[in-house]
Amino acid sequence: MRLCLHLSLFTLLASPALQSQDRPPDVSANLPIKRVVLYKNGVGYFEHLGRVRDNQEVTVSFTSGQLNDVLKSLTVLDLNGGRITGVAYGSAAPVERQLGDLRIPTDDKTSLAEFLGALRGARLEVRNGSNTITGRLLSVERKTRISGGTTLEIDYLSLMTDAGELHTTEISPAFSVRLLDRGLTGKVERLLDLVASAREPDIRKMTISTAGSGARDLFVSYISEAPVWKTTYRIVLDSKTGAKPWLQGWAIVDNTVGQDWENVSLSLVAGAPQSFIQNLSQPYFTQRPVIPLPESMSTAPQTYESTLIPGGARLTGSVTDPAGAAIVGALVKAFGANSALVGETSTNAAGTYELRALPEGAVRLEVASQGFQPAVVNGIVTSAATSGRQDVRLEIGSVTQATEVSAAAQQAQTTSSAMSSVAGGRSLGSGAALGGRRGGVGGGSGAGYGPGAGGGVGGGVYNPRANLEAAARAQELGDLFEYKLKEPISIQKNRSALVPVLQSAIGAEKVSVWNEQAGLRRPQRALWLTNSSGLTLDGGSFSVLEEETFAGEGIFDPIRPDEKRLVSYATDLALNVSSTEGSNQQRVTRVRVHRGVMTHESEVRETKTYTFRNEDNSPRIVIVEHPVRSGYQLRSAAQPIETTAAWMRFRLEVGAKQTAALVVEEARPVSAGYTVSDINSKLIATFVQQRSIDKSVEEALRKVLAQKDAIGALDEQKAARDAEIEKIYDDQQRLRENMKALKGSPEEKALVERYVQQLNTQETRLETLRQEIAQLETKKDAAQAELDRMIEDLSFDVKL
């Protein structure tokens, strides 16, 4: 920022126009501001419209910060046949670059010693007391001197005279220097001029040159940095008279552009078009553009997430043809307010459908199937308290024809829940008033801008409020939303204004909200707002006025039309709350066998019990926010009336001086796998005892076990024969060793013959054993193949 100040002021200091007046006009008198559009991202759009004549120049003044935005967005139009011949503005190199060209110290804290050190080689005249030395500066150095037990650091200056003599003198309070080099004094003066320019006003003049004949209209527009406009709301409640809540919205607008706004058309846009800062007003010296990260505001009051699943209502029914036969695969769509799609499904094999998470209130049902005329059913009323039913019959015909009917009251059963309607009657619920009701407010509520903001209020604030009218019109602008003031407004420079932008009745139900993870000791008093104003409510702070008394305040995020949102504003001191948790492992509920693996599926059930005690004389509607946990399924009878990305919201009514509890039961599936080939009889007996398999699975497993036993028997037989062969091998080795020891005597010949006979017998047995082993291996291979086939073909999916 200091760079811009130095540059702009140095450029303008040489201007005679600036030297002749304290501060230039912000814009020429014939080109006033006519339209201002303020955005939420800190920029404003400005339009000037004025008259020019012949070849006239128009001067507009900006600060350096404004000039960068103007250069990116400036639009200039001569509207009556003239032309724009050029736009010029003051420019110069950055101050740091100009100071760098001087090659002298430019730091803000440069000392005398540092300054003189940078002048090394310059011709100086130095006076220190009565001594005068003239020569070229050789050096400036600091030395330590001890005097009277005190250590001092003294700067010394050394010069070389024209005669070649070196002289050193102390830089003391009596020390003075005169610059003798030609031009050096001018450089130092230039440095001081640039430094002093930082204290001058930061003004950059832009001159627009026009060419033409006669008087013409000139249009100039641009964007510039502007304060972010703010919104604040007032919510007026009156449960005694049953009047509908009233919402009043205000915008806080600041004029800091340095020029009065006289009869300006003002628009306030709730949105943040992409914008950034780019330093275009200075010559570019390989500097990257400055694009800061967007700023975000952290607010202390608690806000609540917007709706992910809009409601807890459920609608079921069947779709049939004229003969009463079920239609499979029919497309069923449900539409809510403003024809918004709120649910979609298809009929199953029985021709029935089910739509969940529908919003409460009237919905329209559309049913279509190939070969049948589409059917439209209007006026179906749904409720979270009871499941509704609507049967539909499709007529045979072209899909271009449609049958439209109205739902009968008895077809969609919607017994009213504890939630009171926001369409009329006592929509605020009940509860003790937060302040005494005043009989009337005399005098006036203060002067203000726009209808309804001033004048006196007598006999309460509720009777005349329906006559109030907002001073702004609201409309959608794509992804943005605009509040446009109906009448021009005037705001002097460096002043702010509070402008009414919204006056509307709004749907609201007074509830208490409990979120255990919020870290609060008691529930929050809140309003469940339904934005029935038809306008987008920009995010901002709000104050609640109940029974003509301040009841609390809070903050909410932007709310779209017909969107419901919880907004808290006070602590509910009448409610005490506690919670307990429980968990238990359920027995196996499902057995699946596939490709040799048996899977037992069970679930761990966890319960959370919220207990509320209401010490007030009026009942409470409590909204409990329970976390949505990945991998868990809801098993309790209590169903959420609304679900966000992180929370399930349950509704609980607690009577006066009563205690009520909400039980939320959730289940987490647990799976255990077993390889069928590793199952033994002991494990089967355990499964039977635990009732984790049924009779059919037990019989199939026992067949597998019997086949495994058969293979085991073949293995035992083969092992016995292998052992016998090993024993024969050992005996043959003994016989051969004995035969080697014989010497060939007649007695020994008989023994040899005996050994030979034994060997022949053993060889015959070995051959038999080998044949038997081969047969056993063949049988085992066949039995193993049969076991593999049995396991592969084994397939069960049994619910216990």
Side-chain angles (χ1 to χ4, degrees), residues 198-412:
R199 297 189 295 271
E200 299 297 329
D202 176 24
I203 299 298
R204 303 290 291 274
K205 298 182 70 174
M206 176 176 286
T207 301
I208 303 172
S209 300
T210 66
S213 59
R216 305 179 311 280
D217 290 325
L218 184 66
F219 171 88
V220 177
S221 70
Y222 53 86
I223 68 167
S224 174
E225 183 180 26
V228 176
W229 66 277
K230 288 85 67 178
T231 47
T232 178
Y233 299 91
R234 318 290 182 260
I235 301 176
V236 183
L237 309 179
D238 181 18
S239 58
K240 289 186 177 181
T241 64
K244 202 169 185 180
W246 192 259
L247 178 68
Q248 184 182 76
W250 296 82
I252 300 174
V253 180
D254 308 290
N255 176 13
T256 61
V257 299
Q259 180 183 356
D260 293 342
W261 294 351
E262 296 290 344
N263 294 325
V264 168
S265 173
L266 179 63
S267 295
L268 308 174
V269 177
Q274 181 172 302
S275 184
F276 53 88
I277 298 174
Q278 195 170 42
N279 198 358
L280 298 176
S281 62
Q282 290 185 352
Y284 184 64
F285 294 94
T286 67
Q287 296 176 348
R288 299 182 66 187
V290 180
I291 304 179
L293 295 175
E295 297 182 357
S296 60
M297 180 181 66
S298 177
T299 57
Q302 183 178 0
T303 60
Y304 299 92
E305 291 181 337
S306 59
T307 303
L308 180 65
I309 301 176
R314 190 166 68 97
L315 183 65
T316 61
S318 62
V319 180
T320 58
D321 61 14
I327 300 178
V328 181
L331 182 61
V332 182
K333 294 183 178 181
F335 297 86
N338 298 326
S339 298
L341 181 65
V342 295
E344 181 176 348
T345 187
S346 298
T347 56
N348 57 20
T352 61
Y353 69 90
E354 181 179 22
L355 292 169
R356 290 180 175 269
L358 296 178
E360 292 187 308
V363 298
R364 185 180 81 254
L365 204 65
E366 294 185 1
V367 184
S369 181
Q370 187 67 30
F372 295 89
Q373 298 179 14
V376 179
V377 184
N378 296 307
I380 303 174
V381 180
T382 59
S383 171
T386 353
S387 175
R389 181 175 182 85
Q390 179 65 55
D391 298 330
V392 180
R393 186 178 70 177
L394 297 184
E395 300 293 337
I396 298 175
S398 170
V399 296
T400 60
Q401 300 173 323
T403 303
E404 185 169 349
V405 297
S406 296
Q410 66 274 16
Q411 286 183 302

Side-chain angles (χ1 to χ4, degrees), residues 91-123:
S91 179
V95 173
E96 276 70 10
R97 180 172 291 271
Q98 298 181 60
L99 295 176
D101 293 341
L102 298 177
R103 302 184 65 83
I104 53 180
T106 59
D107 189 84
D108 291 341
K109 299 181 180 180
T110 301
S111 65
L112 176 60
E114 292 171 340
F115 177 77
L116 292 174
L119 300 180
R120 185 179 180 184
R123 288 184 56 78

Side-chain angles (χ1 to χ4, degrees), residues 591-594 596-600 672-688 692-693 697-698 700-709 787 791 794 796:
V591 180
R592 290 187 297 168
V593 182
H594 184 66
V597 177
M598 182 173 68
T599 304
H600 284 175
Y674 304 89
T675 303
V676 174
S677 58
D678 294 337
I679 294 177
N680 53 39
S681 58
K682 183 177 180 180
L683 192 56
I684 293 177
T686 301
F687 291 157
V688 172
S692 58
I693 58 176
V697 178
E698 180 187 357
L701 293 179
R702 292 199 181 278
K703 289 180 181 180
V704 172
L705 191 60
Q707 186 66 18
K708 288 178 60 179
D709 292 341
L787 176 62
I791 293 176
L794 200 62
F796 288 94

